[in-house]
């Protein structure tokens, strides 16, 4: 049976999923895994969809092993243990930045790689690792088609005003604009919502991707109209360790008055702020929820406040609101946080059904709530696999 693999290669981890292509053309998750702690002490695990461990490896002294080295190991294992006869026909990758040019996934070729390489300065923490995995696999399996799926693509056609900072035009023309991210997640949510509630999907919806990284996307008829992340994945909501939107004057102050250099500021804003910074305890919502600390409570309250404030802003971008969809780690699992957010949004005409919210969903608003609320699990890996299959076999997503 044929299969496609989706890969999400980050700075310290590579996640992979194998989807079998069924005879009807649908994709079925068969196995998945990750290589973690790259650069420290890499560890690899792969499990079948039934939870059976297929592979476990650790490299305690392997701090110098690169993404390419570790992928070579994974491929060597894959060659020795063909996954129940499945033949991988293509690999899809999450690529964070498609710049101003790419509004849809693309088959990888050298020309595309040059263009994506040129975008690395726009996403220095992510793009180089995404491309490293593509290059490594091109060396290991030169004939295997690879597809780049962009996190920015879903937002590519949002209105021009939602893409512009109030900066001199020349900077906009040099690419300093609001791109938006988490696009593969939002695209999947738009597809699923169209199946679950087609009437709502054709209306004005805010999708809330609340994980370690968090953003909102305002969608009208399944298309992105506005989003909280902008030039980088630092913008918008408060996140696990990222600050979200900040008065840019704070950054100037840190630099000029407090003597912090760019690397220190990057460390502060990306890794020491957000839930972790405010709570002084953890970036993990479960740890905060289990804590009696006043600071942990303040961090959770601020998280909900920021989400609601941005929902207010995006409601204005949409000129009204018909529904909200919660997704990702916090959005899918944290009923208390969903409740906090929905209660604060009562003024919008959202009435949460607390029983449904504590249950399995997907609808968590009262039957006569003017604004509906849903919980829909996201699946970026499946979206990547769908695009990959679409490109190599001409199916439509
Ligand atoms: P990433 O952006 O790394 O993919 P996830 O989407 O996995 O992140 O979300 C991670 C966040 O989800 C963490 O803050 C974690 O505490 C939270 N989370 C996961 N499961 C639960 C749960 N059952 N209850 C509350 N929060 C949860």
């Amino acid at each position: 049976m044929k299969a496609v693999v989706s890969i999400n290669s980050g700075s310290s981890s590579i996640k992979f999923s194998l989807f079998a292509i069924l005879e009807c053309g649908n994709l079925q998750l068969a196995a998945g895994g990750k290589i973690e702690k790259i650069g420290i002490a890499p560890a690899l695990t792969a499990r079948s969809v039934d939870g059976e461990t297929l592979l476990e490896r650790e490299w305690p002294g392997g701090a110098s092993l690169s993404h390419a080295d570790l992928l070579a190991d994974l491929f060597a294992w894959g060659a020795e243990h063909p996954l129940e006869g499945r033949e991988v026909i293509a690999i899809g990758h999450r690529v964070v930045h498609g710049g101003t040019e790419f509004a849809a996934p693309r088959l990888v070729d050298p020309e595309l790689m040059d263009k994506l390489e040129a975008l690395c300065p726009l996403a220095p923490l992510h793009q180089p690792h995404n491309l490293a995995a593509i290059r490594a696999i091109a060396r290991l399996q030169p004939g295997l088609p690879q597809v780049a799926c962009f996190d920015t693509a879903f937002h590519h056609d949002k209105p021009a005003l939602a893409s512009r900072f109030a900066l001199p035009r020349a900077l906009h023309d040099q690419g300093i604009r609001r791109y938006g991210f988490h696009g593969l997640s939002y695209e999947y949510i738009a597809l699923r919502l169209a199946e679950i509630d087609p009437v709502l999907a054709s209306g004005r919806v805010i999708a809330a991707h609340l994980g370690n990284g968090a953003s909102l996307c305002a969608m009208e008829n399944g298309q992105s109209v506005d989003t909280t992340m902008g030039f980088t994945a630092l913008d918008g909501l408060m996140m696990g360790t990222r600050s979200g939107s900040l008065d840019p004057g704070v950054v100037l102050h840190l630099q000029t008055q407090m003597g912090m250099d760019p690397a220190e500021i990057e460390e502060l804003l990306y890794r020491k702020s957000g839930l972790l910074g405010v709570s002084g305890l953890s970036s993990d919502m479960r740890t905060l929820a289990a804590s009696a600390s006043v600071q942990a409570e303040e961090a959770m309250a601020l998280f909900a406040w920021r989400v609601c404030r941005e929902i207010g802003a995006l409601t204005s971008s949409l000129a009204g609101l018909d529904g909200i969809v919660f997704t990702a780690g916090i959005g899918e699992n944290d009923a208390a946080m969903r409740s906090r957010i929905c209660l604060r949004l009562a003024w919008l005409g959202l009435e949460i059904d607390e029983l449904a919210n504590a249950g399995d969903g997907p609808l968590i608003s009262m039957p006569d709530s003017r604004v509906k609320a849903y919980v829909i699990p996201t699946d970026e890996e499946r979206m990547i696999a769908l695009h990959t299959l679409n490109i190599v076999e001409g199916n439509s997503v």
Side-chain angles (χ1 to χ4, degrees):
M1 187 187 282
K2 292 182 175 176
V4 289
V5 168
S6 68
I7 290 193
N8 183 355
S9 172
S11 57
S12 66
S13 72
I14 301 173
K15 295 181 193 147
F16 48 90
S17 305
L18 180 106
F19 291 87
I21 306 167
L22 303 180
E23 265 173 30
C24 57
N26 288 348
L27 292 173
Q28 187 178 55
L29 181 65
K34 56 188 162 185
I35 305 171
E36 291 176 291
K37 294 194 271 180
I38 300 174
I40 306 167
L44 187 161
T45 47
R47 292 206 168 79
S48 75
V49 73
D50 313 318
E52 180 200 347
T53 300
L54 301 172
L55 176 63
E56 260 178 339
R57 278 203 67 179
E58 285 185 17
W59 295 265
S64 63
L65 292 173
S66 67
H67 288 59
D69 298 331
L70 295 160
L71 280 169
D73 245 71
L74 180 64
F75 272 69
W77 173 80
E80 278 171 34
H81 303 83
L83 290 155
E84 293 163 28
R86 291 194 184 93
E87 177 206 352
V88 174
I89 61 161
I91 297 198
H93 294 262
R94 177 184 202 163
V95 174
V96 71
H97 226 300
T100 53
E101 182 172 353
F102 300 114
R106 286 294 181 98
L107 192 64
V108 170
D109 61 22
E111 190 193 343
L112 179 76
M113 287 303 279
D114 287 346
K115 288 182 173 175
L116 299 183
E117 187 71 52
L119 293 170
C120 282
L122 296 187
L125 302 183
H126 297 98
Q127 190 93 339
H129 304 294
N130 305 153
L131 302 187
I134 299 179
R135 261 193 231 96
I137 292 170
R139 278 196 298 273
L140 292 165
Q141 304 258 315
L144 188 63
Q146 297 196 75
V147 174
C149 302
F150 307 105
D151 251 330
T152 48
F154 187 69
H155 306 291
H156 185 271
D157 297 326
K158 67 185 180 312
L161 288 183
S163 299
R164 192 175 273 280
F165 289 116
L167 286 170
R169 304 190 77 80
L171 291 174
H172 180 83
D173 297 340
Q174 285 165 38
I176 302 187
R177 31 178 109 184
R178 306 191 67 251
Y179 293 94
F181 299 91
H182 286 141
L184 293 159
S185 174
Y186 293 129
E187 190 177 8
Y188 181 79
I189 293 299
L191 277 181
R192 284 291 293 134
L193 188 62
E195 290 165 1
I196 295 168
D197 188 337
V199 174
L200 178 61
S202 67
R204 298 159 300 181
V205 173
I206 294 177
H209 179 109
L210 307 179
N212 276 321
S215 74
L216 305 175
C217 178
M219 302 191 283
E220 188 155 20
N221 198 17
Q223 310 287 314
S224 173
V225 169
D226 200 355
T227 186
T228 55
M229 279 181 175
F231 180 61
T232 65
L234 195 54
D235 199 8
L237 303 179
M238 173 183 187
M239 305 179 216
T241 60
R242 287 173 245 168
S243 64
S245 298
L246 204 64
D247 174 349
V250 172
V251 180
L252 296 175
H253 181 86
L254 295 173
Q255 215 167 1
T256 59
Q257 303 301 314
M258 298 180 70
M260 290 175 77
D261 65 30
E264 288 170 319
I265 295 176
E266 179 182 296
E267 179 71 10
L268 173 77
L269 300 183
Y270 275 95
R271 297 187 195 88
K272 293 188 176 159
S273 297
L275 294 173
L276 174 65
V278 176
S279 70
L281 179 67
S282 172
S283 62
D284 193 295
M285 196 61 97
R286 282 166 295 194
T287 309
L288 301 187
S291 161
S293 120
V294 175
Q295 289 89 344
E297 167 51 31
E298 189 170 34
M300 291 189 293
L302 184 58
F303 183 88
W305 167 273
R306 294 284 300 122
V307 169
C308 294
R309 193 170 182 267
E310 295 293 337
I311 285 177
L314 293 188
T315 298
S316 174
S317 299
L318 287 166
L321 187 64
D322 303 310
I324 292 180
V325 179
F326 290 96
T327 195
I330 298 167
E332 291 167 29
N333 299 299
D334 192 340
M337 181 53 71
R338 289 195 303 261
S339 173
R340 235 188 237 245
I341 292 168
C342 290
L343 289 173
R344 188 176 270 285
L345 295 175
W347 65 274
L348 268 174
L350 171 55
E351 204 183 334
I352 187 167
D353 177 344
E354 292 290 6
L355 263 182
N357 184 42
D360 288 337
L363 184 66
I364 59 163
S365 52
M366 296 298 270
D368 54 355
S369 177
R370 203 181 57 67
V371 170
K372 287 182 163 184
Y374 279 97
V375 178
I376 301 179
T378 195
D379 195 344
E380 291 152 295
E381 290 71 29
R382 180 173 291 272
M383 202 65 238
I384 292 168
L386 281 168
H387 279 308
T388 302
L389 187 61
N390 176 30
I391 291 220
V392 297
E393 293 214 324
N395 294 351
S396 70
V397 169

